[in-house]
Every structure is written in structure tokens, then in C-alpha cells.
Amino acid sequence: GAVVSQHPSRVICKSGTSVKIECRSLDFQATTMFWYRQFPKQSLMLMATSNEGSKATYEQGVEKDKFLINHASLTLSTLTVTSAHPEDSSFYICSVQTGENQPQHFGDGTRLSIL
Amino acid sequence: TQLLEQSPQFLSIQEGENLTVYCNSSSVFSSLQWYRQEPGEGPVLLVTVVTGGEVKKLKRLTFQFGDARKDSSLHITAAQPGDTGLYLCAGAGGTSYGKLTFGQGTILTVHP
């Protein structure tokens, strides 16, 4: 069964809107979740590591004020794209690692389209 | 910075043909995962290899982990249209603790 639930699967909104994406870990308490961005026909690009109860760790070049991450519980991390613009349009995917040296399990992704 | 070079980037073959995808790095990984992703969905884990020299088989798919744990390959025998998708290798451990280092991906198209 699914390990990770990501919602919504698709968002279309106007430029300037803030969009929140949820990532839930099912049947597992995740102290760490990961957020990725993916462009068409390309690999995944890690944006940030979401840490339960503390600040997220952002990768170089990712604006933390643009992509707000909140990991308030052991089963939920949220990514908010603030004041989204067309260049933020992409496929955003979260993942959960179920233990040290265990593989990551991915959500089904969120297709974000900014008009 | 750890890099995982994946090749080829694109592969277009006929049903029934065999193929191999490679992932190479100068870094040592504690494990390496292979994922398959279909359009509009998240990657799905196919296999994890942990031990140097390890070989794992999943029906028509054979995965190898290099002896030095720096490289891996995925071989598909008698490819079918249902194998079409984006294949991703990802290394865990090494200097990027807790994170995965992804290859560039291989887009496989199997024509009937």
C-alpha cells in the first residue's frame, strides 16, 4: 500500500497566489521528509529537507522565503509556494525515508501551473 | 558534491529487445536504489542494492551493484511496452548523509 500521500495532485492558479502542498506519511512517523522539484523529462532536484519540529534545510539556490516548509507533526509536512509566478510552474514531489539506510518512498506529486 | 552519471538519457527500442542502463560515480554509496516513474506520478521503488557485487532480479529486470559500490546497472530482458517510463538511479550515504543523489534519468520507450 501507499506509504506517502500528497495533496493536491494538480493546481492551476493565477500569478501572485500562494499555494500549499501537503505531504502525509501513512502508518509511519517521519522525522524527516524531502521536497523535490522536477521539470519535464528530467530527474528530481532536491529542494529541501523537512525536519519535524525544527527549521527545514534548504539546498543551495532554493529561496527559503519563496518555498516555505512546515513540518509540525510526525506525519505531515507542507510546502507553500508564496506569491507564485509562471516560472514556479513545475512538478513538486515529496518523499519519506522510513529509516536509516532505507529507501525513500515518494508521493504521487503535485503538478503546479501558474497562469 | 556527489555526482551520479546515468546513461543513456534516452532509449527507444522495439518490443522484445534487451537493454542496459548504467549509473556511474566516483563516490562510494552505502546503497543504491532504482526507481521507475510514469508521467504525472511519483517514482516507484524497484529495488535497493546494498552489498558490493550484489545482483538482484525482479522478473525480467536484473540489477547489479559494482564491487566498489560506485556504480550500478539495470538490465531489462525482452522489453515490453509496459516497461516504458523514466528510470532513475539514486545513491544513498556517502558524503550526502540522509539525502539521495539522483542520476539524470533514462527515458525508455518500448514500441510494440
Side-chain angles (χ1 to χ4, degrees):
Chain A
V3 178
V4 182
S5 173
Q6 189 173 339
H7 180 82
S9 59
R10 187 174 183 107
V11 180
I12 302 173
C13 57
K14 294 181 179 179
S15 185
T17 307
S18 290
V19 178
K20 181 184 283 188
I21 303 170
E22 293 186 348
C23 182
R24 293 183 183 275
S25 174
L26 308 176
D27 301 324
F28 176 75
Q29 293 184 326
T31 55
T32 303
M33 295 187 185
F34 301 91
W35 286 97
Y36 295 85
R37 185 172 180 176
Q38 186 178 33
F39 292 104
K41 298 186 179 181
Q42 292 189 23
S43 188
L44 277 66
M45 182 181 71
L46 180 65
M47 298 175 66
T49 302
S50 175
N51 306 299
E52 189 269 333
S54 64
K55 292 182 180 179
T57 306
Y58 289 82
E59 294 300 300
Q60 193 172 10
V62 178
E63 297 176 62
K64 60 181 181 180
D65 295 329
K66 175 75 171 176
F67 300 99
L68 299 178
I69 292 173
N70 185 276
H71 194 153
S73 77
L74 287 170
T75 59
L76 175 64
S77 175
T78 61
L79 167 68
T80 301
V81 183
T82 62
S83 187
H85 292 285
E87 58 266 28
D88 298 322
S89 297
S90 192
F91 194 54
Y92 293 87
I93 312 175
C94 69
S95 74
V96 168
Q97 188 166 12
T98 54
E100 190 174 341
N101 295 324
Q102 294 299 310
Q104 289 184 20
H105 296 270
F106 291 84
D108 279 338
T110 297
R111 171 72 59 195
L112 176 61
S113 300
I114 308 299
L115 306 177
Chain B
T1 304
Q2 289 185 296
L3 291 174
L4 199 50
E5 297 289 334
Q6 185 172 346
S7 63
Q9 235 181 313
F10 301 93
L11 205 49
S12 180
I13 61 173
Q14 292 298 125
E15 183 175 2
E17 292 184 12
N18 303 330
L19 66 112
T20 303
V21 179
Y22 300 93
C23 275
N24 297 290
S25 177
S26 58
S27 303
V28 176
F29 294 102
S30 58
S31 68
L32 197 137
Q33 287 110 45
W34 284 91
Y35 294 86
R36 178 169 169 266
Q37 185 182 20
E38 298 203 37
E41 300 180 9
V44 175
L45 179 69
L46 295 174
V47 79
T48 300
V49 285
V50 178
T51 308
E54 183 176 5
V55 177
K56 280 191 174 179
K57 292 195 174 185
L58 188 66
K59 295 184 180 178
R60 294 176 293 101
L61 278 61
T62 302
F63 304 86
Q64 278 191 302
F65 201 15
D67 291 340
R69 290 185 287 133
K70 293 182 180 181
D71 54 86
S72 182
S73 65
L74 157 61
H75 183 79
I76 301 179
T77 303
Q80 298 177 359
D83 295 326
T84 294
L86 172 65
Y87 289 81
L88 296 159
C89 62
T95 57
S96 298
Y97 182 76
K99 303 178 188 177
L100 286 179
T101 299
F102 276 90
Q104 296 93 330
T106 296
I107 297 176
L108 170 65
T109 305
V110 182
H111 301 279

